Amino acid sequence: MAEPAALRAMRSGDANVGTSPTGRLRERDAIGSSIAVRDAVKRYGSFHAVDQISIDIEPGEFITLLGPSGSGKTTLLNLVAGFQSLDSGEILVDGKPVHNVPTHKRGFGMVFQSYALFPNMTVSQNVAFPLRMAGVDRATAERRVAETLEIMRLTEHATKSPSQMSGGQQQRVAIARAIVRRPKVVLMDEPLSALDRRLREQIQIEIRDLHRTIGSTILFVTHDQGEALTMSDRIAVLNAGKIVQIGRPLDIYRHPIDRFVASFVGESNLIEAEILQKRGSTLTMKSRTGYVFNAESRDTIDVGRATVLVRPERIAVSNEPTANSAPVSVTSAIFLGEILRIEAQMEGGEPLLIRCTDMADRPLPTVGDRLHVSWGAADCWVLA
Amino acid sequence: MTSASIGVQADRPADLDLVRRLRDPALLLVPALAFLAFIYLLPLIDLIRISVSGPSWSSYFERVFAIPLYWDSLVRTMQISVTVAGLCLLFGYPTALLIHRSRGLAQALIATAIVLPYFIAILIRTYAWMVLLGRNGPVNKLLVSIEILSEPVQLLFNRGTVLLGMTAVLLPLMVLTIYSSVARLDQSLTRAALASGAGPIAAFWRVMLPLTLPGMGAGFLLVFVAAIGFFITPTLLGGPGDQMFAMHITQQADSVTSEGFLQALGVVLLTITLAVVAVAGRFLGFEFIWGGRKLTEATPGKTDLRAADGSRRSLGASAADVIGWPLLRLFGRLPASCGTWTVRIMGGLVIAILILPIIVVMIISFSSASYLTFPPPGFSLRWYEQFFSDSNWMRAFWTSLVVAAMSAGIAIVLGASAALGIVRSSIRGKSAIMLLLVSPIIVPPVVLGLSLYSLFLRFDLVGSVFGLAAAHAIGGLPIVVVILSASLQGVDARLEQAAAVHGASSLTVFRLVTLPAIMPGLAAATFFAFLHSFDELVLTLFLSSAELKTLPLMLWGDINYRLNPVLAVVSTLEVLLVVAGLVLARPVLATSRKAT
């Protein structure tokens, strides 16, 4: 795919692009800021919306705040944006405290769930707005707007009014407005949740590519775990006003810290089991139903009972018993296209969710069928 | 089942067609339209007919414009109305912002301070200003005590008090109109402006102000149109040099000789009002009158409008660029708290202006003095005793209750069926019909009273309770139609479909789903229609007789002859009535605000 000229110019750090009188907008500055939140607290009455959150975000990082509604993710974003003020704690951008700086002087870009395009302005006027507010001269502003519109493939819509555009186009305008100043930090508040699935996936990719191009630090809020996994450098999972776990998508998915993260991110089987023996980081465990298996764990766990996470796609299924397999009976089986989603019961009645790829020699099981399942030590993760 | 119904259809297709026609909800519009045609349109047409019945069609109008008294008065009316609308806009906008920006209890209190006066009779609010500014009133007392004045002076009966009184009376209308356009804005727009680097003042100037411009326009025009027809406030607060046009009509109405000339005066006032509304409706859409949204879906002319919008916007934008940006940089230097404090101070002033007179009057009603003075020398219930023991006051009170109850009954029956008709039918010209139903709001009451007077004379209705109730229902009907069509539109059509799918007949659906959903609206509409009639004075001045006196009429007579604390008692009772009504209607208002 041919890359727009403007995009190439941006990536090569073309120094003559957008030199403003204040020098604020020089291209080589357009690398993200670090953000540090320290012991941030925001209360509404007795409700702690944000409860002692601390997080360090690297320059240029794409970080996602993931959590159910009411978990405090949007409040945290609003605190960083400056729409709400901290009850205690501090927020540092590039090491400088900003929590007493008003929003409009923080110099961030922001994309809103409702797009929030100014209905009284055209597309290009919307995109030019942050530049005008920064006092950029007209010629420079026009050139920058044109570049940004080209990157977002909106050039032919420049003179339209936002209400004449589709949801996806409106959101691209909103993104253009957020990045036109090459801000060091871009905040995104569930920007894709109003779009349908296909558009959402398309714009997810666009945002990721854009992030690589402009190098800003992106703080992205979503309740969609799939979105978080595909887009982020790191994910911070929030629950009840606290960060439960922070890490790379793969780590969050494979090694969740507790039941909440395990069940909120991806589908999961959580099996209660007794620890029989420990050898290195490998535990030998026995489930309530008597199935004995090995599992990988952190070092800290040794005896007693524990919850074991087994992802549905890690379970091996066969029609005949194999070495160390357990029998299950099928309670439901759904054909989802490339995979089968099977719900089954182990012999003690414990439910088990299985996802396996569709294969020619595997007919769709019917309710009541007996199957044999097994998993290896590396396929399980022992939770605290 | 299908075969049977097909059989029936084949047998009697004509009957079925008739049944279908009789079930058309559009028929529900007929009673209200017939009512308005007879008691509202017909008299107005008659008024116009008489006004052109002179030797030549224009002879009466020539007389109106030939006499300097009337021409001057017309010019003065325009000046006063524009000034009042301007003042209302200037003070109303910050107040609307103040409501929008405050939260929780503060918001509820401020909103109540605005809404409460809105429902109190103009007569009573004007009376409160007379008390406040009178020789023994608190303002004079205060000025003397801090030695700005050496002795009390006459503060009343000049242009200043007329402007103050009219602005105070009309401010709630402005605030509520602007508030509805401010509240409708997506809150994240302001946030987006802030996040884009715009300071609070720039965000207001570039985003908030342009987007609320239509609301400001609507508020300005509504206040202007109301002010043109104003009669009570300028009569009571103005001096001889502050005569407004509507006042001439009531003065001339007593003399028989001015037949034709009188009607011409009315037609002039009506024409100006309608012309302003027509021009405003052309730009804002006629929905501005009732503060609603378009009833009809996408109109075919929409794309043209949009294109026109585009060119106008770019013109406006370039103007804003030339003037706005330098100004903005200048303002941008001001500390951000300037804007906040402007809003707070002006909003606070407005609330004081709206609430203080009412409080003063309520305190004076408990005065022990036999004349109006503030602070009262002592407290007693003597004026309450006098009010409740005076048979004239009590008779007027009961007359008002009966008339208001009947009027509310007429308005609610006609209005509810009309609202159903307009929301549920699919006839063409809905906007025009809605406009007709709501138009009595904008016709100056003086003109309406004048036109009804000849109708009532002809049918010998002057002084009849039913006639008066029907006349009051002309103004009650729009209130009911607006409230109920809004609540009907708020009814989730899927709920009704769900009930129908599960076997409910259309009548059952109405009883079990629709009626409960609009019940709060119905209650509010009934109350407001009742209050409209209970407070009505101008029509009553034309249509009552010596035997049929309502409470506002008694008040009017007493204010003109003797200004004693009994009036304060009546005012206090009215305020309590409105407060009780608002408390009862509070859940309704809360939900309807969510819906609109």
Side-chain angles (χ1 to χ4, degrees), chain A residues 125-137:
Chain A
Q125 283 168 342
N126 261 287
V127 177
F129 188 86
L131 298 175
R132 303 303 308 265
M133 287 300 150
V136 174
D137 65 276

Side-chain angles (χ1 to χ4, degrees), chain B residues 140-154:
Chain B
N140 254 322
K141 289 270 174 69
L142 184 74
L143 290 179
V144 170
S145 74
I146 57 173
E147 289 174 349
I148 289 180
L149 296 177
S150 54
E151 58 180 37
V153 295
Q154 182 57 278

Side-chain angles (χ1 to χ4, degrees), chain B residues 179-243:
Chain B
Y179 176 74
S180 81
S181 84
V182 170
R184 236 176 252 172
L185 282 185
D186 182 357
Q187 208 203 339
S188 54
L189 284 174
T190 307
R191 288 187 162 186
L194 291 175
S196 303
I201 293 172
F204 173 76
W205 180 263
R206 296 296 299 196
V207 178
M208 200 74 165
L209 204 62
L211 291 177
T212 49
L213 217 50
M216 292 164 69
F220 185 89
L221 288 161
L222 284 175
V223 169
F224 178 73
V225 165
I228 292 178
F230 244 53
F231 159 69
I232 298 170
T233 310
T235 307
L236 294 179
L237 294 181
D242 307 311
Q243 290 245 327

